[in-house]
Coordinates of all heavy atoms in Angstrom, one line a residue:
M1 N 70.0 82.2 -9.2 CA 70.2 81.1 -10.2 C 69.5 81.7 -11.5 O 68.3 82.1 -11.5 CB 69.6 79.8 -9.7 CG 70.1 78.8 -10.5 SD 69.5 77.1 -9.8 CE 67.9 77.0 -10.3
S2 N 70.1 81.5 -12.6 CA 69.5 81.9 -13.9 C 68.7 80.7 -14.4 O 69.0 79.6 -14.2 CB 70.5 82.3 -15.0 OG 71.4 81.2 -15.2
P3 N 67.6 81.1 -15.1 CA 66.7 80.0 -15.7 C 67.3 79.1 -16.7 O 68.3 79.7 -17.3 CB 65.5 80.8 -16.2 CG 65.8 82.1 -16.1 CD 67.0 82.4 -15.5
S4 N 67.0 77.9 -16.9 CA 67.6 77.1 -17.9 C 67.2 77.6 -19.3 O 66.2 78.3 -19.5 CB 67.1 75.6 -17.8 OG 65.7 75.6 -18.0
P5 N 68.0 77.2 -20.3 CA 67.6 77.7 -21.7 C 66.2 77.2 -22.1 O 65.4 78.0 -22.7 CB 68.7 77.0 -22.6 CG 69.8 76.7 -21.7 CD 69.3 76.4 -20.3
G6 N 65.8 76.1 -21.6 CA 64.4 75.6 -22.0 C 63.4 76.5 -21.4 O 62.4 76.8 -22.0
K7 N 63.7 76.9 -20.2 CA 62.6 77.7 -19.5 C 62.6 79.1 -20.2 O 61.5 79.6 -20.4 CB 63.1 78.0 -18.1 CG 62.0 78.3 -17.0 CD 62.6 78.3 -15.6 CE 61.6 78.3 -14.6 NZ 62.0 78.3 -13.2
E8 N 63.8 79.7 -20.5 CA 63.8 80.9 -21.2 C 63.1 80.9 -22.5 O 62.3 81.8 -23.0 CB 65.3 81.3 -21.6 CG 66.1 81.8 -20.4 CD 65.9 83.2 -20.2 OE1 65.0 83.8 -20.6 OE2 66.6 83.7 -19.1
Y9 N 63.3 79.7 -23.3 CA 62.5 79.6 -24.5 C 61.1 79.5 -24.4 O 60.4 80.1 -25.1 CB 63.1 78.2 -25.2 CG 62.5 77.9 -26.4 CD1 62.8 78.7 -27.6 CD2 61.5 76.9 -26.6 CE1 62.2 78.4 -28.9 CE2 60.8 76.6 -27.9 CZ 61.2 77.5 -29.0 OH 60.6 77.1 -30.1
R10 N 60.7 78.8 -23.4 CA 59.2 78.6 -23.2 C 58.6 80.0 -22.8 O 57.6 80.4 -23.1 CB 58.9 77.6 -22.0 CG 59.0 76.1 -22.4 CD 58.4 75.2 -21.6 NE 59.0 75.2 -20.2 CZ 60.2 74.6 -20.0 NH1 60.7 73.9 -20.8 NH2 60.7 74.7 -18.8
R11 N 59.3 80.8 -22.0 CA 59.0 82.1 -21.6 C 58.8 83.0 -22.8 O 57.8 83.8 -23.0 CB 59.9 82.7 -20.6 CG 59.4 83.9 -20.0 CD 60.4 84.5 -18.9 NE 60.6 83.7 -17.9 CZ 61.7 84.0 -17.0 NH1 62.4 85.0 -17.2 NH2 61.9 83.2 -15.9
Y12 N 59.8 82.9 -23.7 CA 59.8 83.8 -24.9 C 58.7 83.3 -25.8 O 57.9 84.2 -26.4 CB 61.1 83.4 -25.6 CG 61.1 84.1 -27.0 CD1 61.1 85.5 -27.2 CD2 61.0 83.3 -28.2 CE1 61.1 86.2 -28.5 CE2 60.9 83.9 -29.3 CZ 60.9 85.2 -29.7 OH 60.9 85.8 -30.8
K13 N 58.5 82.1 -26.0 CA 57.3 81.6 -26.8 C 55.9 82.0 -26.3 O 55.0 82.5 -27.0 CB 57.3 80.0 -26.9 CG 58.5 79.4 -27.7 CD 58.7 80.0 -29.1 CE 57.7 79.4 -30.1 NZ 57.8 80.0 -31.5
K14 N 55.8 82.1 -24.9 CA 54.6 82.4 -24.3 C 54.3 83.9 -24.5 O 53.2 84.4 -24.9 CB 54.7 82.2 -22.8 CG 53.5 82.5 -22.0 CD 53.6 81.9 -20.6 CE 52.3 82.3 -19.7 NZ 52.5 83.5 -19.0
F15 N 55.4 84.7 -24.3 CA 55.4 86.1 -24.6 C 55.0 86.4 -26.0 O 54.1 87.3 -26.4 CB 56.8 86.7 -24.3 CG 56.8 88.2 -24.7 CD1 56.3 89.2 -23.9 CD2 57.5 88.7 -25.8 CE1 56.2 90.5 -24.2 CE2 57.6 90.1 -26.1 CZ 56.9 91.0 -25.4
Q16 N 55.6 85.7 -27.0 CA 55.3 85.8 -28.4 C 53.9 85.5 -28.7 O 53.2 86.3 -29.4 CB 56.2 84.9 -29.2 CG 56.5 85.3 -30.6 CD 57.5 84.3 -31.2 OE1 57.5 83.1 -31.0 NE2 58.3 84.9 -32.2
K17 N 53.3 84.6 -28.1 CA 52.0 84.1 -28.3 C 51.0 85.1 -27.7 O 50.0 85.5 -28.5 CB 51.5 82.7 -27.7 CG 50.3 82.1 -28.1 CD 50.3 80.7 -27.5 CE 49.0 80.1 -27.8 NZ 47.9 80.6 -26.9
E18 N 51.3 85.7 -26.6 CA 50.5 86.8 -25.9 C 50.4 88.0 -26.8 O 49.4 88.6 -27.0 CB 50.9 87.1 -24.6 CG 50.7 86.0 -23.5 CD 51.4 86.2 -22.2 OE1 52.3 87.1 -22.1 OE2 51.3 85.4 -21.3
Q19 N 51.6 88.4 -27.4 CA 51.6 89.5 -28.2 C 50.7 89.4 -29.5 O 50.2 90.3 -29.9 CB 53.1 89.8 -28.7 CG 54.0 90.3 -27.6 CD 53.5 91.5 -26.9 OE1 53.3 92.6 -27.6 NE2 53.3 91.8 -25.6
E20 N 50.9 88.1 -29.9 CA 50.1 87.8 -31.3 C 48.7 88.0 -30.9 O 47.9 88.6 -31.8 CB 50.6 86.4 -31.7 CG 50.2 86.2 -33.1 CD 50.7 84.7 -33.5 OE1 51.9 84.4 -33.3 OE2 49.7 84.0 -34.1
E21 N 48.2 87.4 -29.8 CA 46.9 87.5 -29.5 C 46.4 88.9 -29.2 O 45.3 89.2 -29.7 CB 46.5 86.6 -28.3 CG 46.6 85.1 -28.6 CD 46.6 84.3 -27.3 OE1 46.6 84.8 -26.1 OE2 46.8 83.0 -27.4
K22 N 47.2 89.7 -28.7 CA 46.9 91.1 -28.4 C 46.7 91.8 -29.7 O 45.7 92.6 -29.9 CB 48.0 91.7 -27.8 CG 47.6 92.6 -26.5 CD 48.6 92.7 -25.4 CE 49.5 94.0 -25.6 NZ 50.4 94.1 -24.5
W23 N 47.6 91.6 -30.7 CA 47.5 92.1 -32.0 C 46.2 91.7 -32.7 O 45.4 92.5 -33.3 CB 48.7 91.8 -32.8 CG 49.8 92.9 -32.6 CD1 50.6 93.1 -31.6 CD2 50.2 93.9 -33.5 NE1 51.4 94.1 -31.7 CE2 51.3 94.6 -33.0 CE3 49.8 94.3 -34.9 CZ2 51.8 95.7 -33.6 CZ3 50.4 95.3 -35.6 CH2 51.5 96.0 -34.9
E24 N 45.9 90.4 -32.7 CA 44.7 89.8 -33.4 C 43.5 90.5 -32.8 O 42.6 90.8 -33.5 CB 44.8 88.4 -33.3 CG 45.8 87.6 -34.1 CD 45.6 87.8 -35.5 OE1 44.3 87.9 -36.0 OE2 46.5 87.8 -36.3
A25 N 43.5 90.6 -31.4 CA 42.3 91.1 -30.7 C 42.1 92.6 -31.1 O 40.9 93.0 -31.1 CB 42.4 90.9 -29.3
A26 N 43.2 93.3 -31.3 CA 43.0 94.8 -31.6 C 42.4 95.0 -33.0 O 41.8 96.1 -33.2 CB 44.4 95.5 -31.5
C27 N 42.7 94.2 -33.9 CA 42.1 94.3 -35.3 C 40.6 94.5 -35.4 O 39.9 93.8 -34.6 CB 42.6 93.2 -36.2 SG 41.9 93.3 -37.8
K28 N 40.2 95.5 -36.1 CA 38.7 95.7 -36.1 C 38.0 94.9 -37.2 O 36.8 95.1 -37.5 CB 38.5 97.3 -36.4 CG 39.0 98.2 -35.3 CD 38.8 99.6 -35.8 CE 39.4 100.5 -34.7 NZ 39.5 102.0 -35.2
R29 N 38.7 94.2 -37.9 CA 38.2 93.3 -39.0 C 37.5 94.2 -40.2 O 36.4 93.8 -40.7 CB 37.2 92.3 -38.6 CG 37.7 91.6 -37.3 CD 38.6 90.5 -37.5 NE 39.0 89.8 -36.3 CZ 40.2 89.7 -35.8 NH1 41.3 90.2 -36.5 NH2 40.5 89.1 -34.8
C30 N 38.0 95.4 -40.4 CA 37.3 96.4 -41.2 C 37.6 96.0 -42.8 O 36.9 96.4 -43.6 CB 37.8 97.7 -40.9 SG 39.5 98.1 -41.4
G31 N 38.7 95.2 -42.9 CA 39.0 94.7 -44.2 C 39.7 95.8 -45.1 O 40.0 95.4 -46.3
A32 N 39.9 96.9 -44.6 CA 40.5 97.9 -45.4 C 41.9 97.6 -45.9 O 42.2 98.0 -47.0 CB 40.6 99.2 -44.6
C33 N 42.7 96.9 -45.1 CA 44.0 96.6 -45.6 C 44.0 95.3 -46.7 O 45.0 95.0 -47.3 CB 44.9 96.1 -44.5 SG 44.2 94.8 -43.5
C34 N 42.8 94.8 -46.9 CA 42.5 93.8 -47.9 C 41.7 94.3 -49.1 O 41.3 93.6 -49.9 CB 41.8 92.6 -47.3 SG 42.7 91.9 -45.8
G35 N 41.6 95.6 -49.1 CA 40.9 96.3 -50.3 C 39.5 96.5 -50.1 O 38.9 97.0 -51.1
A36 N 38.8 96.4 -49.0 CA 37.4 96.4 -48.8 C 37.0 97.9 -49.1 O 35.8 98.1 -49.7 CB 37.0 96.1 -47.4
V37 N 37.7 98.9 -48.7 CA 37.2 100.3 -49.0 C 37.6 100.7 -50.3 O 36.9 101.5 -51.0 CB 37.9 101.1 -47.8 CG1 37.6 102.6 -48.0 CG2 37.5 100.7 -46.5
E38 N 38.8 100.3 -50.8 CA 39.4 100.8 -52.1 C 38.4 100.3 -53.2 O 38.4 100.9 -54.3 CB 40.7 100.3 -52.2 CG 41.5 100.6 -53.6 CD 41.5 99.3 -54.4 OE1 41.5 98.2 -53.8 OE2 41.7 99.3 -55.5
G39 N 37.7 99.2 -53.1 CA 36.8 98.9 -54.2 C 37.1 97.7 -55.1 O 36.4 97.1 -55.7
D40 N 38.5 97.1 -54.9 CA 38.8 95.9 -55.6 C 39.6 95.1 -54.7 O 40.8 94.9 -54.6 CB 39.8 96.3 -56.8 CG 40.2 95.1 -57.7 OD1 39.4 94.1 -57.6 OD2 41.2 95.2 -58.4
P41 N 38.8 94.4 -53.7 CA 39.3 93.7 -52.7 C 40.0 92.4 -53.1 O 39.8 91.9 -54.3 CB 38.1 93.4 -51.7 CG 37.0 93.3 -52.6 CD 37.3 94.4 -53.7
C42 N 40.7 91.8 -52.2 CA 41.4 90.5 -52.4 C 40.4 89.4 -52.5 O 39.2 89.5 -52.0 CB 42.2 90.2 -51.1 SG 42.9 88.5 -51.2
D43 N 40.5 88.5 -53.5 CA 39.7 87.5 -53.8 C 39.2 86.6 -52.6 O 38.2 85.9 -52.6 CB 40.3 86.6 -54.9 CG 39.3 85.7 -55.6 OD1 38.2 86.1 -55.7 OD2 39.7 84.4 -55.7
Y44 N 40.1 86.6 -51.6 CA 39.9 85.8 -50.4 C 39.0 86.5 -49.4 O 38.7 85.9 -48.3 CB 41.2 85.4 -49.8 CG 41.8 84.2 -50.3 CD1 41.6 83.7 -51.6 CD2 42.6 83.3 -49.5 CE1 42.3 82.7 -52.2 CE2 43.2 82.2 -50.0 CZ 43.1 81.8 -51.2 OH 43.6 80.8 -51.8
L45 N 38.8 87.8 -49.6 CA 38.1 88.6 -48.5 C 36.6 88.4 -48.6 O 36.0 88.4 -49.7 CB 38.3 90.1 -48.8 CG 37.9 90.9 -47.5 CD1 38.8 90.7 -46.3 CD2 38.0 92.4 -47.8
E46 N 36.1 87.9 -47.5 CA 34.6 87.6 -47.3 C 34.0 88.6 -46.3 O 34.5 88.9 -45.3 CB 34.4 86.2 -46.9 CG 34.8 85.2 -48.0 CD 34.7 83.8 -47.6 OE1 34.5 83.6 -46.3 OE2 34.9 82.9 -48.4
Y47 N 32.7 89.0 -46.7 CA 31.9 89.9 -45.6 C 31.4 88.9 -44.5 O 30.8 87.8 -44.8 CB 30.8 90.5 -46.4 CG 30.1 91.5 -45.4 CD1 30.8 92.6 -44.9 CD2 28.8 91.4 -45.2 CE1 30.2 93.5 -44.0 CE2 28.1 92.3 -44.3 CZ 28.9 93.3 -43.8 OH 28.3 94.2 -42.9
A48 N 31.7 89.3 -43.3 CA 31.3 88.5 -42.2 C 30.0 89.0 -41.5 O 29.6 88.5 -40.5 CB 32.5 88.3 -41.1
G49 N 29.5 90.1 -42.0 CA 28.3 90.7 -41.3 C 28.7 91.7 -40.4 O 29.9 91.9 -39.8
E50 N 27.8 92.7 -40.0 CA 28.0 93.7 -39.1 C 29.2 94.6 -39.2 O 29.9 95.0 -38.4 CB 27.9 93.2 -37.6 CG 26.7 92.5 -37.3 CD 26.5 92.0 -35.9 OE1 27.5 92.1 -35.2 OE2 25.5 91.4 -35.6
G51 N 29.5 94.9 -40.6 CA 30.6 95.8 -40.9 C 32.0 95.0 -40.8 O 33.0 95.8 -40.9
E52 N 32.0 93.7 -40.6 CA 33.3 93.0 -40.4 C 33.5 92.1 -41.6 O 32.6 91.5 -42.2 CB 33.3 92.3 -39.1 CG 33.2 93.2 -37.9 CD 33.6 92.4 -36.6 OE1 33.7 91.3 -36.6 OE2 33.6 93.2 -35.6
Y53 N 34.8 91.9 -41.8 CA 35.2 91.0 -43.0 C 36.2 89.9 -42.3 O 36.8 90.1 -41.2 CB 36.1 91.8 -44.0 CG 35.1 92.8 -44.8 CD1 34.9 94.0 -44.2 CD2 34.7 92.4 -46.0 CE1 34.1 94.9 -44.9 CE2 33.9 93.3 -46.7 CZ 33.5 94.5 -46.2 OH 32.8 95.4 -46.9
K54 N 36.4 88.8 -43.2 CA 37.3 87.9 -42.7 C 38.1 87.2 -43.9 O 37.5 87.4 -45.1 CB 36.6 86.6 -42.0 CG 35.6 85.9 -42.7 CD 35.0 84.8 -42.0 CE 34.0 84.0 -43.0 NZ 33.6 82.9 -42.5
C55 N 39.1 86.7 -43.7 CA 39.8 86.1 -44.9 C 39.4 84.7 -44.8 O 39.4 84.0 -43.9 CB 41.4 86.1 -44.5 SG 42.4 85.3 -45.6
R56 N 39.2 84.3 -46.2 CA 38.8 82.9 -46.4 C 39.7 81.8 -45.9 O 39.3 80.7 -45.5 CB 38.6 82.7 -47.9 CG 37.8 81.5 -48.3 CD 37.9 81.0 -49.8 NE 37.7 82.1 -50.6 CZ 38.2 82.1 -51.8 NH1 38.9 81.1 -52.3 NH2 38.0 83.1 -52.6
D57 N 41.1 82.0 -45.9 CA 42.0 81.1 -45.5 C 43.1 81.9 -44.6 O 44.3 82.0 -45.1 CB 42.7 80.4 -46.7 CG 43.5 79.3 -46.3 OD1 43.5 78.8 -45.2 OD2 44.2 78.7 -47.2
Y58 N 42.7 82.4 -43.6 CA 43.6 83.3 -42.8 C 44.9 82.6 -42.3 O 46.0 83.2 -42.3 CB 42.8 83.8 -41.5 CG 43.5 84.8 -40.7 CD1 43.6 86.2 -41.2 CD2 44.0 84.6 -39.5 CE1 44.3 87.1 -40.7 CE2 44.7 85.7 -38.8 CZ 44.9 87.0 -39.4 OH 45.5 88.0 -38.7
A59 N 44.8 81.4 -41.9 CA 46.0 80.6 -41.5 C 47.1 80.4 -42.6 O 48.3 80.4 -42.2 CB 45.6 79.3 -41.0
N60 N 46.7 80.5 -43.8 CA 47.7 80.4 -45.0 C 47.6 81.5 -45.8 O 47.9 81.5 -47.0 CB 47.3 79.1 -45.8 CG 47.2 77.9 -44.8 OD1 48.2 77.6 -44.3 ND2 46.2 77.2 -44.7
R61 N 47.4 82.8 -45.3 CA 47.2 83.9 -46.1 C 48.4 84.5 -46.9 O 48.1 85.0 -47.9 CB 46.4 85.0 -45.2 CG 47.4 85.6 -44.1 CD 46.5 86.3 -43.1 NE 47.3 87.0 -42.1 CZ 47.7 86.3 -40.9 NH1 47.5 85.0 -40.9 NH2 48.3 87.0 -40.0
F62 N 49.5 84.3 -46.3 CA 50.7 85.0 -46.9 C 51.1 84.4 -48.1 O 51.0 83.2 -48.3 CB 51.8 84.9 -45.8 CG 51.5 85.7 -44.6 CD1 51.9 85.0 -43.4 CD2 50.9 86.9 -44.5 CE1 51.7 85.8 -42.2 CE2 50.6 87.4 -43.3 CZ 51.0 86.8 -42.2
G63 N 51.5 85.3 -49.1 CA 51.9 84.7 -50.3 C 51.1 85.4 -51.5 O 50.5 86.5 -51.3
R64 N 51.2 84.8 -52.8 CA 50.7 85.4 -53.9 C 49.1 85.3 -53.9 O 48.6 84.3 -53.5 CB 51.1 84.7 -55.1 CG 52.6 85.1 -55.5 CD 53.0 84.4 -56.7 NE 54.4 84.4 -56.9 CZ 55.1 83.7 -57.6 NH1 54.5 82.9 -58.5 NH2 56.4 83.8 -57.6
H65 N 48.5 86.4 -54.2 CA 47.0 86.5 -54.4 C 46.7 87.4 -55.5 O 47.5 88.1 -56.1 CB 46.5 87.0 -53.0 CG 46.5 86.0 -52.0 ND1 45.6 85.0 -51.7 CD2 47.4 85.9 -50.9 CE1 45.8 84.4 -50.7 NE2 46.9 84.8 -50.2
H66 N 45.3 87.5 -55.7 CA 44.9 88.4 -56.7 C 43.6 89.0 -56.3 O 42.8 88.5 -55.5 CB 44.8 87.8 -58.1 CG 43.8 86.8 -58.3 ND1 42.4 86.9 -58.3 CD2 44.0 85.4 -58.2 CE1 41.8 85.8 -58.5 NE2 42.8 84.8 -58.3
S67 N 43.3 90.3 -56.7 CA 42.1 90.9 -56.3 C 40.9 90.4 -57.1 O 41.2 89.7 -58.1 CB 42.2 92.4 -56.6 OG 42.2 92.7 -58.0
R68 N 39.7 90.8 -56.8 CA 38.6 90.3 -57.7 C 38.8 90.7 -59.2 O 38.2 90.1 -60.1 CB 37.3 90.8 -57.1 CG 37.0 89.9 -55.8 CD 35.6 90.1 -55.3 NE 35.7 89.6 -54.0 CZ 35.0 90.1 -52.9 NH1 34.3 91.1 -53.2 NH2 35.1 89.5 -51.8
G69 N 39.5 92.0 -59.3 CA 39.5 92.6 -60.7 C 40.7 92.0 -61.3 O 41.1 92.4 -62.4
G70 N 41.5 91.1 -60.7 CA 42.6 90.4 -61.4 C 44.1 91.0 -61.0 O 45.0 90.6 -61.6
Q71 N 44.1 92.1 -60.0 CA 45.4 92.6 -59.8 C 46.2 91.6 -59.0 O 45.6 91.1 -58.0 CB 45.2 93.9 -59.0 CG 44.5 95.1 -59.8 CD 45.4 95.6 -60.9 OE1 46.6 95.7 -60.7 NE2 44.9 95.7 -62.1
K72 N 47.4 91.4 -59.3 CA 48.3 90.5 -58.5 C 48.9 91.2 -57.4 O 49.5 92.3 -57.6 CB 49.3 89.8 -59.5 CG 48.6 88.9 -60.4 CD 49.7 88.2 -61.3 CE 48.9 87.3 -62.3 NZ 49.8 86.8 -63.4
F73 N 49.2 90.6 -56.2 CA 49.9 91.2 -55.1 C 50.3 90.1 -54.1 O 49.8 89.0 -54.3 CB 49.0 92.3 -54.4 CG 47.8 91.7 -53.7 CD1 47.8 91.4 -52.4 CD2 46.6 91.4 -54.4 CE1 46.7 90.9 -51.7 CE2 45.5 90.9 -53.7 CZ 45.6 90.5 -52.4
R74 N 51.1 90.5 -53.2 CA 51.5 89.5 -52.2 C 50.9 89.9 -50.9 O 50.9 91.1 -50.4 CB 53.0 89.5 -51.9 CG 53.7 88.9 -53.2 CD 55.2 88.8 -52.8 NE 55.6 87.7 -51.9 CZ 55.6 86.4 -52.3 NH1 55.4 86.1 -53.6 NH2 55.7 85.5 -51.3
C75 N 50.3 89.0 -50.2 CA 49.7 89.3 -48.8 C 50.9 89.1 -47.9 O 51.5 88.0 -47.9 CB 48.6 88.2 -48.5 SG 47.9 88.4 -46.8
V76 N 51.2 90.1 -47.0 CA 52.2 90.1 -46.0 C 51.7 90.4 -44.7 O 50.6 91.0 -44.5 CB 53.3 91.2 -46.5 CG1 53.9 90.8 -47.9 CG2 52.7 92.5 -46.5
P77 N 52.4 90.3 -43.6 CA 52.0 90.6 -42.3 C 51.7 92.1 -42.3 O 52.5 92.9 -42.9 CB 53.3 90.3 -41.4 CG 54.0 89.1 -42.2 CD 53.8 89.5 -43.6
V78 N 50.7 92.5 -41.6 CA 50.2 94.0 -41.7 C 51.3 94.9 -41.0 O 51.5 95.9 -41.6 CB 49.0 94.1 -40.9 CG1 49.1 93.9 -39.4 CG2 48.3 95.4 -41.2
R79 N 52.2 94.4 -40.2 CA 53.2 95.2 -39.6 C 54.2 95.7 -40.7 O 55.0 96.7 -40.5 CB 54.0 94.5 -38.5 CG 54.8 93.3 -38.9 CD 55.6 92.6 -37.8 NE 56.2 91.3 -38.2 CZ 55.6 90.2 -38.1 NH1 54.3 90.2 -37.7 NH2 56.2 89.1 -38.6
E80 N 54.3 94.9 -41.8 CA 55.2 95.3 -42.9 C 54.8 96.3 -43.7 O 55.5 96.9 -44.5 CB 55.5 94.1 -43.8 CG 56.4 93.0 -43.0 CD 56.7 91.8 -43.9 OE1 56.7 92.0 -45.1 OE2 57.2 90.8 -43.3
I81 N 53.3 96.7 -43.6 CA 52.8 97.8 -44.5 C 52.3 99.0 -43.6 O 51.7 99.9 -44.2 CB 51.7 97.3 -45.4 CG1 50.5 96.6 -44.5 CG2 52.2 96.3 -46.4 CD1 49.3 96.4 -45.3
L82 N 52.5 99.0 -42.4 CA 52.0 100.0 -41.5 C 52.6 101.4 -41.9 O 52.0 102.4 -41.7 CB 52.4 99.8 -40.1 CG 51.4 98.8 -39.4 CD1 51.8 98.5 -37.9 CD2 50.0 99.1 -39.5
H83 N 53.8 101.4 -42.5 CA 54.4 102.7 -42.9 C 53.8 103.3 -44.2 O 53.9 104.3 -44.7 CB 55.8 102.7 -43.2 CG 56.3 101.7 -44.3 ND1 56.1 100.3 -44.1 CD2 56.8 101.7 -45.4 CE1 56.4 99.7 -45.2 NE2 56.9 100.6 -46.1
K84 N 52.9 102.4 -44.9 CA 52.3 102.7 -46.2 C 50.8 103.4 -45.9 O 50.3 103.2 -44.8 CB 52.2 101.5 -47.2 CG 53.7 101.1 -47.5 CD 53.5 100.0 -48.5 CE 54.9 99.5 -48.9 NZ 54.8 98.4 -49.7
S85 N 50.2 103.7 -47.0 CA 48.8 104.3 -46.9 C 48.0 103.3 -47.8 O 48.3 102.9 -48.8 CB 48.6 105.6 -47.3 OG 49.6 106.5 -46.7
W86 N 46.7 103.1 -47.3 CA 45.7 102.5 -48.1 C 44.3 103.0 -47.7 O 44.2 103.7 -46.7 CB 45.7 100.9 -47.9 CG 45.5 100.5 -46.4 CD1 44.2 100.2 -45.9 CD2 46.4 100.3 -45.4 NE1 44.4 99.9 -44.5 CE2 45.6 99.9 -44.3 CE3 47.8 100.3 -45.4 CZ2 46.3 99.5 -43.0 CZ3 48.4 100.0 -44.1 CH2 47.6 99.7 -43.0
A87 N 43.3 103.0 -48.8 CA 42.1 103.5 -48.5 C 41.4 102.9 -47.2 O 41.5 101.7 -47.1 CB 41.1 103.2 -49.7
G88 N 41.0 103.8 -46.4 CA 40.4 103.4 -45.1 C 41.4 103.1 -43.9 O 41.0 102.7 -42.9
D89 N 42.7 103.5 -44.2 CA 43.6 103.2 -43.2 C 43.5 104.1 -41.9 O 44.0 103.8 -40.8 CB 45.0 103.2 -43.6 CG 45.4 104.6 -44.1 OD1 44.6 105.6 -44.1 OD2 46.7 104.8 -44.6
K90 N 42.7 105.2 -42.0 CA 42.6 106.1 -40.8 C 41.7 105.3 -39.7 O 42.0 105.6 -38.5 CB 41.7 107.3 -41.2 CG 42.3 108.2 -42.4 CD 43.5 109.0 -41.7 CE 44.1 109.9 -42.9 NZ 44.8 109.2 -43.8
N91 N 41.1 104.3 -40.0 CA 40.3 103.5 -39.1 C 41.1 102.4 -38.6 O 40.7 101.6 -37.7 CB 39.0 103.0 -39.9 CG 38.1 102.3 -38.9 OD1 37.7 102.9 -37.9 ND2 37.5 101.2 -39.3
C92 N 42.3 102.0 -39.2 CA 42.9 100.9 -38.8 C 43.5 101.0 -37.3 O 44.1 102.1 -36.9 CB 44.2 100.7 -39.7 SG 45.3 99.3 -39.2
A93 N 43.2 100.0 -36.6 CA 43.7 100.1 -35.1 C 45.1 100.2 -34.9 O 45.7 100.9 -34.0 CB 43.1 98.8 -34.5
Y94 N 45.9 99.5 -35.8 CA 47.3 99.5 -35.7 C 47.9 101.0 -36.1 O 48.9 101.4 -35.5 CB 48.1 98.5 -36.5 CG 47.4 97.1 -36.3 CD1 47.1 96.3 -37.2 CD2 47.2 96.6 -34.9 CE1 46.6 95.0 -37.0 CE2 46.7 95.4 -34.7 CZ 46.4 94.6 -35.7 OH 45.8 93.4 -35.5
K95 N 47.3 101.5 -37.0 CA 47.6 102.9 -37.5 C 47.2 103.9 -36.4 O 48.0 104.9 -36.3 CB 46.9 103.3 -38.7 CG 47.3 102.7 -40.0 CD 48.4 103.4 -40.6 CE 48.8 103.0 -42.0 NZ 49.9 103.8 -42.6
Q96 N 46.2 103.6 -35.6 CA 45.8 104.5 -34.6 C 46.8 104.3 -33.4 O 46.6 105.1 -32.4 CB 44.4 104.3 -34.3 CG 43.4 104.8 -35.3 CD 42.0 104.4 -35.0 OE1 41.7 103.4 -34.3 NE2 41.1 105.0 -35.7
G97 N 47.6 103.3 -33.5 CA 48.6 103.2 -32.4 C 47.9 102.5 -31.1 O 48.6 102.8 -30.0
V98 N 47.0 101.8 -31.2 CA 46.3 101.2 -30.0 C 47.3 100.3 -29.2 O 47.1 100.0 -28.0 CB 45.0 100.4 -30.3 CG1 44.0 101.3 -30.8 CG2 45.3 99.3 -31.3
L99 N 48.3 99.7 -29.8 CA 49.2 98.8 -29.1 C 50.6 99.5 -28.7 O 51.4 98.8 -28.2 CB 49.4 97.6 -30.0 CG 48.2 96.8 -30.1 CD1 48.4 95.6 -31.0 CD2 47.7 96.2 -28.8
L100 N 50.7 100.8 -29.0 CA 52.0 101.4 -28.8 C 52.0 102.2 -27.5 O 51.0 102.5 -26.8 CB 52.2 102.5 -29.9 CG 52.3 102.0 -31.3 CD1 52.4 103.0 -32.4 CD2 53.4 100.9 -31.5
Ligands
LIG201 S1 44.8 86.7 -48.3 FE1 45.6 88.6 -47.2 S2 44.8 90.3 -48.4 FE2 43.6 88.5 -49.0 S3 41.8 88.5 -47.6 FE3 43.4 87.2 -46.6 S4 44.6 88.5 -45.3 FE4 43.4 89.9 -46.8
LIG202 S1 42.9 97.9 -41.8 FE1 43.7 97.5 -39.8 S2 42.0 97.2 -38.4 FE2 41.2 97.0 -40.5 S3 41.4 94.8 -40.9 FE3 43.3 95.7 -41.6 S4 44.7 95.4 -39.8 FE4 42.6 95.1 -39.0

């Protein structure tokens, strides 16, 4: 017997949530993708201590932002920029393929 659509949906949502948590846990919080290494970081980037950084409004981060120096840019999901390079990206967990 095949599962009901509701069951499939719940299973998919659970899988999606687990994947998201796995990705979040893998991030080293180095802040490099937010400009911490490059020298003109996003205005929302805050130092959290012990070499780690955090976003001031992580839940609502996507969209228009500017760096401390006034450069305008869009914050996007990191998976959309993995094919690009940025200062400090050699240390990025996703670039190192920890989840592949
Ligand atoms: S808004 Fe985006 S780029 Fe800026 S600190 Fe938050 S996650 Fe990084
Ligand atoms: S560069 Fe990679 S490991 Fe560092 S904060 Fe960004 S996503 Fe996380």
